[in-house]
């Protein structure tokens, strides 16, 4: 099986999805293949189950997609300083992968978007890390080698790429935010490639 990076995200208004695709571009620029996957919406009352394949957009992630990846970029919008419940619900279903160590020693990074500068971006990124630590993954952030990390006036943190979408979620990604997404993907891809050579 060809090694690939899984870019797994949940997006409500589209910003996190756009970030996911920029990160995927960065991974591909490093020469590693990519699978982009999302997770379904959840509701407290089930009126009708969602189809296993969405009508449009990226397809839903399976446990096999996650188990066989060589690296992971995990993204979620902020929900009061935490990852979205949709992503948490998906991660809660990964016990079988934890039991067999399917993700041990695979590199991973996280990314997020929020409506405001103080919307909890860094705590959201941190909230996505514990499941990855429990799965034995190798956590990566962003380095200040990219000037955009120091120059950004909106999103972007050492913990992972981020975006400020505005209170109505209508602000596009800034050039710095785009650069950091691409750089994060490229860095992840380069680490995956190095690990493949070592193995």
């Amino acid at each position: 099986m060809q090694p690939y990076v899984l870019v797994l995200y949940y997006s409500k208004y589209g910003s996190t999805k756009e970030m996911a695709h920029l990160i995927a571009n960065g991974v591909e620029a490093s020469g590693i293949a990519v699978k982009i996957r999302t997770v379904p919406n959840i509701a407290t009352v089930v009126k009708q189950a969602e189809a296993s394949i969405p009508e449009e957009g990226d397809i839903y992630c399976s446990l096999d997609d996650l188990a066989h990846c060589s690296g992971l970029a995990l993204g979620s919008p902020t929900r009061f300083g935490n990852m979205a419940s949709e992503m948490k619900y998906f991660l809660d279903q990964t016990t079988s992968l934890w039991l067999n160590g399917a993700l041990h020693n695979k590199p991973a990074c996280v990314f997020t978007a929020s409506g405001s500068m103080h919307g909890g971006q860094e705590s959201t990124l941190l909230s996505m890390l514990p499941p990855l630590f429990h799965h034995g993954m190798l956590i990566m952030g962003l380095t200040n080698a990219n000037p955009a990390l120091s120059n950004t006036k909106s999103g972007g943190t050492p913990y992972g790429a981020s975006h400020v979408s505005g209170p109505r979620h209508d602000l596009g990604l800034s050039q710095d935010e785009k650069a950091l997404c691409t750089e994060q993907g490229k860095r992840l891809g380069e680490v995956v490639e190095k690990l493949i050579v070592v193995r």
Side-chain angles (χ1 to χ4, degrees), residues 39-56:
V39 296
N41 289 309
I42 59 174
T44 54
V45 177
V46 176
K47 297 179 181 175
Q48 178 180 350
E50 290 212 26
S52 58
I53 299 176
E55 292 181 19
E56 60 182 345

Side-chain angles (χ1 to χ4, degrees), residues 63-138:
L63 290 184
D64 281 345
D65 290 328
L66 183 56
H68 299 299
C69 75
S70 298
L72 172 68
L74 184 69
S76 170
T78 65
R79 292 291 181 268
F80 301 104
N82 280 286
M83 74 177 102
S85 56
E86 288 81 358
M87 185 57 73
K88 176 71 165 61
Y89 181 81
F90 176 83
L91 292 173
D92 285 347
Q93 311 308 307
T94 63
T95 303
S96 62
L97 304 186
W98 173 76
L99 287 169
N100 67 27
L103 300 176
H104 284 183
N105 301 320
K106 295 180 180 181
C109 62
V110 291
F111 59 99
T112 191
S114 65
S116 70
M117 183 69 82
H118 305 292
Q121 289 186 357
E122 291 182 346
S123 61
T124 298
L125 294 170
L126 294 172
S127 79
M128 289 189 277
L129 294 181
L132 306 184
F133 281 123
H134 280 270
H135 276 292
M137 301 193 85
L138 308 172

Side-chain angles (χ1 to χ4, degrees), residues 157-171:
T157 79
Y159 308 112
S162 64
H163 164 60
V164 179
S165 62
R168 292 185 177 81
H169 307 287
D170 56 356
L171 297 179

